[in-house]
Amino acid sequence: MLTCQKDKFSLDPNFIYLNCAYMSPNLKTVEAAGIAGIKKKSQPYLIREEDFFNPVKEVKKRFAQLINSPEAERIAIIPAASYGLANVAKNIKSKGKKNIIIPGEQFPSNYYAWEQIAKEQDLQIKIISRPNLEKNVSKIWNEQILDAIDEHTLLVAMSHVHWADGSLFNLKNIRAKTTKHDALLVIDGTQSVGALPLDVQEVPVDALICASYKYLMGPYGFGLAYYGPAFDDGKPIEDNWINRKHSDDFQNLVNYQPLYQGFANRYSVGEQSNFIFIKMMYEALGQLLEWTPQAVQNYCSGISESAIASLRELGCTIEDQAYRGSHLFGLRPGHNFDMEALKKQFEEERVLLSLRGDAIRIAPNVYNEEADFMRLLDCFRKVKKGASIY
Ligand SMILES: Cc1ncc(COP(=O)(O)O)c(C=O)c1O
C-alpha cells in the first residue's frame, strides 16, 4: 500500500493541487535530472556518441515494462500525442472500410488526425456521444461504442478514461469487438498510463500514444508511443538520420541508408536523444515502476472515498467507481450549487482543479492526501444553496 508521496515533490503546501490531468508537478529527482541535462551541454565534450543511443534505449525499456510489452523496440519517442497519432494516421488505408469510431468530445489531438484521414479517404467519422442520462452513463456509453463497431469499421480511436470526466472505457471488450471485425484500436493513454494499469499483452492495442507531462510525470514536449505489428512496415511522418539502420556509425552517416531500424524505431522524432528530456523521463519511469500504476490507482481511490460519499449526499453526481478513474473523475454539481460561487470558493480555498464541459474535473495523484479532499468538500458545503452560515 502506498502512503502519501508529497515529500518527493516541491508543491507549495498552501495550494491543494487536484489537477494532474492538466499537468503533473515534477518529482524532485526528475527536476534534478533535467538540470543535470541542461548543464551537460555547457561542456559538450561530455556528451559522447553513445549518449545519443543508450539513454533512449533505457527509456524505451522502462516504458515497455510499464505497459508490459516484451518488445522495447515497439516504443518510439514522440514530442506530443499529436505527433504519435499523425504517424498512425499516415499509415491508415481504408481497405474498403467505411468508418472511424471515436467517443464524443475527445481531446482535439485525437480528433483532427482522423478528420483529415476521413476527408482524404472518404470515410465517415462516427462520434458516439456521452449518453445524456442521469445514471449508468459510462456503462451505457461503453455498450453504445461496442454496438457501433461492425464490419465497416476501419479504426476505433479513443482513450482509457475520457479526459474531461474520467469515464472508464472497457478496452478489453472493445479490443475483442475490433479484432472480430478486423478493425484497428488506437489508444491515447495520456490521461491514464502511469496511474491506471494498461497491459498491452492483455489488451493488444495497435497503437498506444502518450504525452508524458501528465500521469507519466515526464517533461512537457515529450511523449512515448507503442506501435504494434500493424505498423511494422509503415512510413514515418519525417525522415531523420537516427532512425535509419547503422545510425550509430557516425563516420558512415553520409553513405545514405535506405533501411529503417526495426519495429517502431522509425517513428521516433528527430533529436529524440534530447539530453534533458530523456534523463527526466528515465527518472520518472523508474519512480512509476516502483510505485506501480495499480498502487497509484488504489491510493487515489483511498484518499477520495469518504469525500465522494459526502459530496453525493450533498447532491453531486459522480460516476460509480467501477466506471470511472480514481485518478481522474468528473463531478457534476447539480441544482444545489451555483457554478460561479463554487469557482470563487475554490479560488479562495486555493483548491486547484479544472472545469471541462459541464463537469468539475478532479485529478489527484500520490502527492495528495485525504485532507485535500476534505478541503474540496468544504468548498461545496460552504456554497450549497440554503447552507446555514452559522
Ligand atoms: C487526452 C489527451 N491527449 C493528449 C493531450 C495532449 O496532446 P498533445 O500532446 O498533442 O498536445 C491531452 C492534453 O490535455 C489530453 O487530455
Side-chain angles (χ1 to χ4, degrees), residues 21 80-82 107 109 163 188 190-191 211 213-214 220:
S82 54
F107 190 76
S109 293
W163 73 292
D188 175 356
T190 304
Q191 293 286 17
Y213 67 99
K214 300 176 192 279
Y220 187 79

Side-chain angles (χ1 to χ4, degrees), residues 347-364:
E347 251 171 59
E348 245 168 61
E349 302 270 345
R350 298 181 172 177
V351 173
L352 305 174
L353 32 70
S354 285
L355 306 181
R356 292 287 178 269
D358 62 342
I360 295 172
R361 187 180 69 183
I362 301 167

Side-chain angles (χ1 to χ4, degrees), residues 45 97 213 298:
Y45 37 86
K97 301 252 194 174
Y213 67 99
N298 295 347

Side-chain angles (χ1 to χ4, degrees), residues 13 30 42 45 52 75 79 89 92 139 143 156 174 212 214 227 252 269 279 287 307 309 313 341 357:
V30 171
S42 303
Y45 37 86
F52 287 80
I75 311 303
I92 295 300
K139 181 172 181 285
E143 286 165 7
V156 178
I174 292 167
S212 83
K214 300 176 192 279
Y227 295 99
N252 279 309
V269 65
K279 292 275 187 206
Q287 183 60 80
E313 275 167 25

Side-chain angles (χ1 to χ4, degrees), residues 249-299:
D249 181 1
F250 279 30
Q251 205 167 0
N252 279 309
L253 284 181
V254 288
N255 292 326
Y256 299 128
Q257 171 57 253
L259 297 176
Y260 292 109
Q261 292 185 46
F263 299 101
N265 287 303
R266 70 191 60 200
Y267 297 116
S268 284
V269 65
E271 300 194 11
Q272 58 204 250
S273 331
N274 186 317
F275 310 107
I276 304 163
F277 288 172
I278 213 83
K279 292 275 187 206
M280 294 173 81
M281 196 69 248
Y282 181 76
E283 286 302 326
L285 287 168
Q287 183 60 80
L288 294 177
L289 286 168
E290 200 182 308
W291 287 334
T292 78
Q294 187 61 61
V296 174
Q297 189 66 200
N298 295 347
Y299 179 81

Side-chain angles (χ1 to χ4, degrees), residues 2-7 9 11-13 15-21 23-25 215 217 291 296 299-304 326-329 350-353 362-376:
L2 269 183
T3 52
C4 183
Q5 303 287 309
K6 67 179 171 190
D7 290 351
F9 297 83
L11 287 163
D12 180 339
F15 291 91
I16 304 290
Y17 192 65
L18 288 169
N19 213 355
C20 194
M23 189 176 286
S24 60
Y215 289 92
M217 299 209 165
W291 287 334
V296 174
Y299 179 81
C300 293
S301 163
I303 58 171
S304 55
S326 285
H327 67 292
L328 195 176
F329 55 92
R350 298 181 172 177
V351 173
L352 305 174
L353 32 70
I362 301 167
N365 212 317
V366 292
Y367 40 76
N368 292 115
E369 50 196 337
E370 194 165 14
D372 297 347
F373 276 93
M374 290 304 143
R375 191 127 132 219
L376 174 74

